[in-house]
Amino acid sequence: MRVVTAAEMRGLDRAAMEDYGIPGLVLMENAGLAVVRVVRELLGGGVAGKKVAVLAGKGNNGGDGLVAARHLFNAGAEVRVWLLARPEEIAGDAAVNLRIWRKMGREVHPVAGREDLEGLRAWLAGADLVVDAIFGTGFKGAAREPAAGVIEAVNAAGRPVVAVDVPSGLEADTGQVLGPCVRASCTVTFALPKVGLVLEPGRSYAGRLHVADISIPAFLLDQGPPGRYLTTREVVRRWLPPRPAWAHKGSCGRVLVVAGSRGMSGAACLAALGAARSGAGLVTLAVPRSVQEAAAAKLTEVMTAGLPETAQGTLAGEALEKIAALLDKADVLALGPGLTTHPETAALVRELLARVQVPCVVDADGLNALQGYPGIWRLLAAPAVITPHEGEMARLLGTASEDVRARRLAVAEEAAAHFKVVVLLKGPATLVSSPSGTTYINTTGNPGMATGGSGDVLTGVIAGLIAQGMDVFLAAAAGAYLHGLAGDLAAAKRGRRGLLAGDIAEMVPAAIRQVEEGGD
């Protein structure tokens, strides 16, 4: 499903009205009816006798709220409309719906000062539900009074809230919250999800997201240049390569994992396990010689290779030729987990990347070795996926982690275009961006996955999917989805707190099965 900015959505609305003759009042009516359907669902089906507060701003978002108010009133609800503007400020289609509401003999209650706000607080205390239609997708910055006080009153009331299009106080293009923001139980967004509803912190403020059809022609929603999309079960199912009846271990892909160091063998083992659990036919783990025995004992189903090492137990420069020989039999390279930043090992990483001829997935210390070497990307002879977290991305770009966090989507897209590699920026709603300008936003995963080794498993999963023949970009997006789903399954089984990376790896096959079979 495509994800759009506020400007892109305005363009779609305009095309529906101007090119296809769909009146704005029809779009607004459909939007309000979609809100009513979710209100009914949240209230258990019946709305008769229920007290509903509709908070309306002066724009089209407020007009959507007025449509919802009318239909809820007609269904028997006790509806009170609170208006955060003077009636004469309401224009266009919203003004039409305000006139209809008044002609029905219904009042609007202005919220302009302290006394009005106290009256709203008192009414909210007995309300069954709140419809938030104050601000729409054009909102930016921080809410000012009286809206700020209204939003705080709604959050303090603790009532179920249905937000119209976006929670008021949320920036639709970024997901940023710079002041008071409604914490919605559900958000009903129209036609397509907005970027800010699927990125944190916006995703947490939106609650359960409903994407409602308001009669914009469906083919319009898919038109346009490469854009942003949600990674869903349906698209991952289409991407996964089939497993034919005649498959054998050699036909299911060969992964070489170059990772680990003395004291950090766990990272290497988890990456290799992730590759094996994702369905790769043969996985070889290449580690420093002193680590090989422990790795072999831990990984029964993975082949191991011991490589020359430094005195500190990290990979030595002379390991390069042995790795090159192993790569002759590999379809993909996973590089980085647990390597450390030892200078000789870091130099090995750079030399290896300049020579590798198969797709590679670079993570952790593999990325740290590239800090300060911007020209390395031009030397890559094969497609690559890099999987930084915010700190690693900041080091690659020479900026601060806070800057990356504030601009996650833009940073991922800019880095992919600049480095000419697939960028997977880890975190809540993991982002996967291609050099061509397409981004997938992940929809799986949970906070329990914030545990050491989780990213190493992800590296292996992506490498395993590439080995099975997937395009590197789709493998990265699918890998993020399956990894997050495995984490969700593991959390459902064990709980989020105390979840281990090994628990996630164990559930990868179950995640793949769920996607392929369409189960819950």
Side-chain angles (χ1 to χ4, degrees), residues 73-94:
F73 173 74
N74 287 341
E78 182 183 347
V79 182
R80 183 169 290 198
V81 173
W82 302 83
L83 193 63
L84 279 77
R86 296 190 303 275
E88 58 268 24
E89 292 181 287
I90 312 301
D93 295 333

Side-chain angles (χ1 to χ4, degrees), residues 473-487:
F473 176 49
L474 300 186
Y481 182 91
L482 293 169
H483 177 258
L485 180 55

Side-chain angles (χ1 to χ4, degrees), residues 213-260:
D213 174 16
I214 58 171
S215 77
I216 293 176
F219 55 83
L220 277 181
L221 305 182
D222 294 324
Q223 290 180 358
R228 294 139 180 174
Y229 304 86
L230 291 181
T231 313
T232 63
R233 183 180 305 181
E234 290 71 24
V235 298
V236 174
R237 183 184 299 126
R238 291 199 303 267
W239 294 341
L240 286 175
R243 197 82 161 189
W246 49 260
H248 56 84
K249 63 185 178 183
S251 68
C252 294
R254 297 171 169 86
V255 177
L256 174 64
V257 180
V258 176

Side-chain angles (χ1 to χ4, degrees), residues 369-405:
L370 307 181
Q371 181 181 347
Y373 292 85
I376 192 72
W377 309 108
R378 294 193 299 271
L379 302 178
L380 296 178
V385 180
I386 63 173
T387 61
H389 54 57
E390 290 172 357
E392 290 161 346
M393 178 62 88
R395 289 192 286 275
L396 284 175
L397 298 176
T399 187
S401 297
E402 293 75 17
D403 296 334
V404 175
R405 188 172 304 119

Side-chain angles (χ1 to χ4, degrees), residues 415-464:
H418 179 66
F419 296 148
K420 305 298 184 190
V421 298
V422 174
V423 173
L424 185 152
L425 182 56
K426 290 183 287 198
T430 289
L431 304 171
V432 184
S433 296
S434 75
S436 64
T438 301
T439 296
Y440 276 94
I441 302 169
N442 194 43
T443 56
T444 58
N446 62 82
M449 298 174 70
T451 184
S454 177
D456 304 321
V457 174
L458 173 61
T459 296
V461 169
I462 297 169

